[in-house]
Amino acid sequence: MRIPSSQQALNPDTSASPAAERVGSASPEQAEAKPFLCRKPVRATIYTFLTLFLAALIASQVVPPLLDPTFEKHIQSHRVMVGMTREQVLQAWGSPNTINVSFTKDGIRREEWIFEDWESAAVVKHRYLYFEEGKLVGGWYKGSDQRIPTKPTTGPPQFPQRPF
């Protein structure tokens, strides 16, 4: 049954041509054709995570000095923190075993303080601190590279059983 043109204008459910039906409607497969990372909820989740990570990173550098600006609590618990002066580190850890001093091309004084912790006659651990112009800028800790002597075994060597 053919609908007259005056009724087509009144009835929006009928379309003028089959080509108009194909252009206006998209199949579910075409709607899901966007790559995973380009979908709005995924991008929002990624941006939220990156924003929170950046805020935590900034807070980790800003908040501790605000909570203890003179480093009194750190000194009492024998801990050092970036930003301390040489005098504060001396109060917290005592004097180092070795101090190496150098200057950059720009004339900045750099110091490397080496602390030695002897656990036994064969085991020594090192702590390194680095200062620029009297302020602590970093450090690291290195354990002993020597093996602790073990009791000699008698008889054939024992190998652990592996589960198969």
Side-chain angles (χ1 to χ4, degrees), residues 4-161:
S5 62
S6 61
Q7 287 182 353
Q8 279 183 348
L10 297 175
N11 189 357
D13 292 339
T14 61
S15 58
S17 70
E21 287 181 25
R22 279 185 259 128
V23 170
S25 66
S27 67
E29 293 87 24
Q30 291 174 346
E32 295 293 323
K34 279 188 174 180
F36 181 73
L37 293 177
C38 292
R39 295 179 187 160
K40 192 171 184 176
V42 174
R43 286 183 299 161
T45 303
I46 291 171
Y47 291 147
T48 302
F49 173 75
L50 289 175
T51 303
L52 291 174
F53 179 75
L54 183 63
L57 189 66
I58 291 170
S60 70
Q61 296 296 317
V62 173
V63 172
L66 295 177
L67 297 176
D68 189 16
T70 59
F71 302 108
E72 293 295 325
K73 293 177 185 174
H74 289 84
I75 292 170
Q76 290 173 358
S77 61
H78 303 288
R79 290 182 296 159
V80 296
M81 186 173 167
V82 171
M84 285 182 153
T85 64
R86 285 182 275 185
E87 292 77 22
Q88 291 169 329
V89 172
L90 286 171
Q91 289 175 357
W93 279 8
S95 61
N97 294 73
T98 307
I99 298 177
N100 298 320
V101 179
S102 63
F103 291 90
T104 64
K105 289 187 276 184
D106 301 326
I108 297 174
R109 179 185 171 107
R110 288 191 176 162
E111 296 180 16
E112 177 187 50
W113 288 16
I114 304 171
F115 296 85
E116 294 179 354
D117 299 324
W118 289 88
E119 293 181 359
S120 69
V123 178
V124 64
K125 295 185 178 180
H126 293 91
R127 294 176 286 165
Y128 297 85
L129 295 179
Y130 300 97
F131 292 87
E132 283 188 3
E133 296 296 327
K135 292 281 187 180
L136 183 63
V137 294
W140 61 286
Y141 169 81
K142 182 179 180 190
S144 175
D145 292 331
Q146 296 182 10
R147 291 181 174 220
I148 299 173
T150 59
K151 294 180 183 178
T153 58
T154 57
Q158 299 289 324
F159 296 105
Q161 295 291 328

